[in-house]
Amino acid sequence: MILLLLMWEFFKTGLFAIGGGLATLPFLYEMSVKTGWFTATDIANMIAISESTPGPLGINMATYVGYNTAGVAGAILAPIGEVLPSIIIILIIAKVLEKFKENQIVQDVFYGLRPASVGLIAAAGVEVVKVALLNTANWTGFTLASIMATVNWPCLGLAALLLVLTRLPKIKKAHPLYFILGSACVGIAFGYLGWS
Amino acid sequence: MKILWELFLIFARIGGLTFGGGYAMLPMLQKEIVENKSWATEEELMDYFAIGQCTPGIIAVNTATFVGYKVKGILGGIVATLGVIAPSIVIITIIAAFITNFMDIAAVTYAFAGIRVCVCVLIFNSVLKLWKNAVKDIPALVIFLAIFFLSLLTDVSTILFVVCSGAIGFAVKAISRRMQAKKEGGEAK
């Protein structure tokens, strides 16, 4: 019974949370108040864990809540409940799209959507830059001292190195995985050197 | 059957390597789906991301469903989606079961500081690639810049951005076609 209830609650979250991981947050807070399955502190912890594990926040949260509420079965069924609405909706859209792909109107609409899509991704990238390369807490204004303290110089150096590496012939063909693993090692080294 | 298994494995690998939200998945998708497998084109990826922005659910999941459907129909869509969420389920279950202080492990925090830098650079490279495909004329450049700055500086819902850009794209194309027709009509006279 609890399993069905779990699936249903996350099904609703999946249905109404539009626009990516953080959009699920308001639904999670509401669920926490209504069901008492988890607390607001659990949600905060989960955001932190999600930032440090692969995978979408919504799925991680559903798994975490599912496990704590109903064990391994809950950990599997809650995320499945969460993705069920989008699977159904996307399959319908994909089917319709397949039919109207050659349609002039659809193509014109996509002509406008593509640059918008890239704009949204670029803006999301800026948010990642803020977290990864800057210590925004140190920002006090446009002074040299403030800029020096705000920029995370070792990380900026790593970013510059990666920018060059991902453009070198041969190396640039490598799977992104290798760059990620390498950066993780450099991050650990920075950490123990006290540079981060 | 083999292709379904392949879909599952490749999306599980992408899901297992997506650190830092749905957009971080983009470099992986470009590598695995566009370059290695040719299951979709760069343009189609952008379309999926745009549609994923204004439909319910997680963008990473929606993109997996789209690509899976394109490769192997409804079953493919379901299998690819299960693949992309499988690593999260396994990893989070292990963390929830055994590690109560995951975030307190210093090496984990340090490693992720490094990974975040890498994700920045990878997203930047992905955006550059997509940009070349999507922004080929002035109206497209205007849409790109407008959406980039608006979404950075305002709290307006992304759905509104996506819907408006679609409408503008349609209008721009309709007007330019009409002008083209007029010009040709004029020349014919």
Side-chain angles (χ1 to χ4, degrees):
Chain A
M1 194 54 219
I2 182 92
L3 287 175
L4 279 179
L5 214 61
L6 258 176
M7 273 187 92
W8 172 238
E9 283 299 329
F10 278 99
F11 182 89
K12 280 192 291 183
T13 307
L15 184 60
F16 294 117
I18 298 176
L22 290 174
T24 56
L25 277 183
F27 294 90
L28 290 173
Y29 284 114
E30 200 193 308
M31 202 192 302
S32 123
V33 172
K34 211 176 83 185
T35 64
W37 286 337
F38 50 95
T39 63
T41 318
D42 286 333
I43 298 178
N45 286 341
M46 202 54 228
I47 296 171
I49 291 177
S50 277
E51 275 164 10
S52 305
T53 51
L57 173 66
I59 299 301
N60 292 350
M61 197 67 216
T63 310
Y64 185 78
V65 172
Y67 181 83
N68 283 334
T69 322
V72 174
I76 295 170
L77 288 178
I80 288 181
E82 164 125 14
V83 297
L84 219 50
S86 51
I87 292 186
I88 296 167
I89 292 168
I90 295 295
L91 284 178
I92 294 169
I93 294 179
K95 216 175 177 90
V96 173
L97 205 63
E98 201 177 42
K99 217 171 179 176
F100 293 101
K101 209 166 56 184
E102 306 303 324
N103 180 295
Q104 192 63 54
I105 296 175
V106 172
Q107 286 194 353
D108 291 352
V109 168
F110 275 119
Y111 161 81
L113 284 189
R114 283 175 192 155
S117 184
V118 182
L120 289 171
I121 297 168
V126 172
E127 296 300 325
V128 187
V129 168
K130 267 195 223 161
V131 178
L133 302 180
L134 305 175
N135 308 311
T136 37
N138 293 346
W139 181 254
T140 49
F142 286 96
T143 62
L144 187 63
S146 153
I147 292 169
M148 291 299 285
T150 302
V151 175
N152 187 331
W153 295 99
C155 284
L156 190 68
L158 175 60
L161 177 69
L162 285 166
L163 266 179
V164 174
L165 283 179
T166 49
R167 272 164 187 71
L168 290 180
K170 279 191 184 165
I171 298 179
K172 76 174 178 190
K173 290 277 168 214
H175 196 283
L177 164 67
Y178 298 110
F179 297 115
I180 290 181
L181 282 179
S183 308
C185 296
V186 175
I188 292 172
F190 281 176
Y192 285 111
L193 286 169
W195 285 0
S196 61
Chain B
M1 196 55 214
K2 193 171 157 274
I3 187 100
L4 285 177
W5 180 236
E6 216 180 337
L7 261 176
F8 182 86
L9 277 186
I10 285 185
F11 273 98
R13 191 153 75 199
I14 295 173
L17 292 171
T18 303
F19 297 95
Y23 293 110
M25 187 191 186
L26 194 56
M28 305 289 171
L29 284 171
Q30 278 175 329
K31 185 79 197 169
E32 301 268 12
I33 307 299
V34 179
E35 284 174 36
N36 290 354
K37 291 283 168 197
S38 307
W39 281 342
T41 63
E42 303 258 354
E43 283 84 3
E44 282 169 327
L45 274 192
M46 281 184 276
D47 299 347
Y48 298 159
F49 266 73
I51 297 171
Q53 291 280 356
C54 44
T55 48
I58 298 145
I59 293 159
V61 171
N62 294 351
T63 312
T65 316
F66 265 124
V67 176
Y69 176 84
K70 204 193 156 212
V71 174
K72 200 80 180 90
I74 292 176
L75 202 56
I78 294 170
V79 166
T81 312
L82 291 180
V84 87
I85 65 172
S88 305
I89 295 180
V90 173
I91 293 168
I92 298 295
T93 303
I94 291 170
I95 291 178
F98 301 111
I99 313 172
T100 47
N101 54 349
F102 181 71
M103 287 307 296
D104 297 337
I105 305 169
V108 172
T109 319
Y110 296 154
F112 275 92
I115 288 176
R116 273 198 294 269
V117 175
C118 188
V119 168
C120 287
V121 174
L122 292 178
I123 292 184
F124 177 75
N125 289 343
S126 292
V127 167
L128 270 188
K129 261 191 228 171
L130 291 182
W131 202 84
K132 282 181 204 151
N133 268 310
V135 184
K136 288 176 175 159
D137 49 23
I138 305 281
L141 179 66
V142 172
I143 295 176
F144 167 80
L145 288 175
I147 298 295
F148 174 71
F149 285 109
L150 283 173
S151 91
L152 212 53
L153 303 172
T154 67
D155 288 329
V156 180
S157 155
T158 45
I159 303 171
L160 195 65
F161 290 146
V162 172
V163 172
C164 288
S165 326
I168 292 170
F170 173 71
V172 167
K173 279 287 179 188
I175 293 167
S176 76
R177 252 199 304 277
R178 179 161 295 178
M179 278 161 65
Q180 189 77 27
K182 219 175 219 172
K183 209 171 134 198
E184 278 164 13
E187 277 165 10
K189 272 177 202 168

